[in-house]
Amino acid sequence: RREYAGGRPQNALDKDLLMMLWYLSTQETVRSISDRFNVQESTFILHNQRLLDVFSSLCKNFIVWPSDAEKQQVLRGFEAIQEFPGVTGAVDGTHIAITPPGPNEADYVNRKSYHSIILQAVCKHDRSFTDINCGWPGRLNEARVFRNSNACKFQSQLCGQNHLIGDGAYPLSRFLMKPYRESPNLTQAEKLFNKKLCSTRSVIEHAFGILKTRFRRLQHINMNKKEHIVKTIVTCCVLHNICIINHDDLDENFEAEVDDNIGIELSADTAEGNLKRLFLTRQLSNHE
């Protein structure tokens, strides 16, 4: 904070925070928010960017992989949903609509023909994020984004004998389970596996639904610089986790993120992954 040297007094810190929260939770324009809080547009932009820098830097404190002591609680939490064993996290990606930054506009056009940045996240059973990877242009597929994320690079250390769960866009491996591809020839055991996996994996869709419902700015971010867009998304993820830590629950009347990867197979599966999936299929079938 600068020392007061006359003229208009500085904004109070709590006012800065309220302005940022209002910005993230609405789609109001900068002019409208500035009028609402009785500040100049340039003042709001400067103070908002400052706080986005602060909150995005807190990512390493609030978005962390479960400790060894917490892992058992996470495993039990996921298994309580549909009795699917060994799950340390659910992984998925979502598109955040943006105004395209810079000259490479075509790179940000996704398969639904609008400009976006991809947010990939892993969440726990309570819908809090344990890993995020944000900033890839919307035209890329989720398998490529996953391959370049820490969740993939360090999955053996993070998962151990357990695994993440994802949809058909992700690579099947020892550390990531996905459903069998839909086919009329699926056995009853394979259908049961798909049902239990997809029901368990729905927590990540709920997490994205809550995130976008609570922070309406993520419906469309109108910023000129990619760096600022990414900091806005990361800040919303940090605040999402803070809300969950403090039991600030959102009413259930929100729309879960619709899975738009059904039927899309973009990744190479491994033999180890196929064997583990077969083992889990038999285990679930016998338990039933």
Side-chain angles (χ1 to χ4, degrees), residues 77-147:
F78 274 112
E79 194 161 358
I81 299 173
Q82 274 287 339
E83 300 179 342
F84 198 95
V87 180
T88 57
V91 61
D92 202 359
T94 185
H95 289 268
I96 309 295
I98 62 168
T99 299
N104 303 319
E105 183 175 333
D107 290 344
Y108 293 89
V109 179
N110 60 36
R111 62 179 173 274
K112 290 191 173 181
S113 301
Y114 66 88
H115 297 92
S116 67
I117 271 182
I118 297 173
L119 167 64
Q120 178 196 276
V122 179
C123 80
K124 296 192 294 187
H125 60 287
D126 63 0
R127 303 168 184 166
S128 62
F129 297 128
T130 57
D131 181 82
I132 60 172
N133 184 19
C134 179
W136 292 89
R139 71 189 294 261
L140 297 183
N141 65 62
E142 292 184 8
R144 181 173 175 184
V145 175
F146 179 72
R147 283 197 302 270

Side-chain angles (χ1 to χ4, degrees), residues 40-269:
Q40 297 292 322
E41 289 183 35
S42 58
T43 300
F44 166 73
I45 292 170
L46 175 64
H47 289 229
N48 193 49
Q49 287 301 332
R50 240 180 235 165
L51 276 181
L52 290 176
D53 288 343
V54 170
F55 274 89
S56 59
S57 71
L58 293 175
C59 181
K60 60 183 179 294
N61 301 94
F62 286 96
I63 301 177
V64 293
W65 199 259
S67 65
D68 290 339
E70 295 170 329
K71 279 182 181 176
Q72 290 304 314
Q73 181 184 356
V74 174
L75 292 169
R76 289 193 297 269
F78 274 112
E79 194 161 358
I81 299 173
Q82 274 287 339
E83 300 179 342
F84 198 95
V87 180
T88 57
V91 61
D92 202 359
T94 185
H95 289 268
I96 309 295
I98 62 168
T99 299
N104 303 319
E105 183 175 333
D107 290 344
Y108 293 89
V109 179
N110 60 36
R111 62 179 173 274
K112 290 191 173 181
S113 301
Y114 66 88
H115 297 92
S116 67
I117 271 182
I118 297 173
L119 167 64
Q120 178 196 276
V122 179
C123 80
K124 296 192 294 187
H125 60 287
D126 63 0
R127 303 168 184 166
S128 62
F129 297 128
T130 57
D131 181 82
I132 60 172
N133 184 19
C134 179
W136 292 89
R139 71 189 294 261
L140 297 183
N141 65 62
E142 292 184 8
R144 181 173 175 184
V145 175
F146 179 72
R147 283 197 302 270
N148 288 278
S149 68
N150 287 334
C152 178
K153 292 175 183 176
F154 304 109
Q155 57 186 335
S156 59
Q157 299 96 306
L158 297 174
C159 296
Q161 298 300 313
N162 302 303
H163 43 263
L164 302 173
I165 50 175
D167 61 24
Y170 290 94
L172 178 68
S173 73
R174 175 182 166 189
F175 307 108
L176 196 154
M177 291 290 104
K178 70 176 185 179
Y180 292 95
R181 190 168 189 176
E182 287 298 327
S183 163
N185 300 322
L186 288 181
T187 65
Q188 288 302 315
E190 290 168 345
K191 289 178 181 178
L192 178 65
F193 177 92
N194 282 3
K195 176 185 175 182
K196 288 185 176 292
L197 185 148
C198 292
S199 295
T200 306
R201 194 189 67 83
S202 65
V203 295
I204 184 64
E205 295 170 0
H206 291 159
F208 286 144
I210 292 171
L211 181 73
K212 291 185 177 181
T213 300
R214 193 189 295 273
F215 302 108
R216 300 280 180 176
R217 184 63 51 180
L218 298 183
Q219 293 178 3
H220 184 273
I221 301 178
N222 185 12
M223 288 181 166
N224 296 322
K225 293 185 178 179
K226 178 182 174 182
E227 177 189 0
H228 293 161
I229 294 172
V230 171
K231 285 180 179 178
T232 299
I233 298 169
V234 171
T235 295
C236 290
C237 292
V238 169
L239 291 170
H240 169 87
N241 274 16
I242 290 174
C243 289
I244 291 176
I245 290 169
N246 288 280
H247 308 291
D248 183 9
D249 298 323
L250 196 65
D251 291 336
E252 286 295 329
N253 119 34
F254 64 87
E255 289 187 14
E257 179 88 358
V258 176
D259 182 12
D260 57 1
N261 289 322
I262 295 174
I264 298 176
E265 296 283 345
L266 298 169
S267 50
D269 300 338

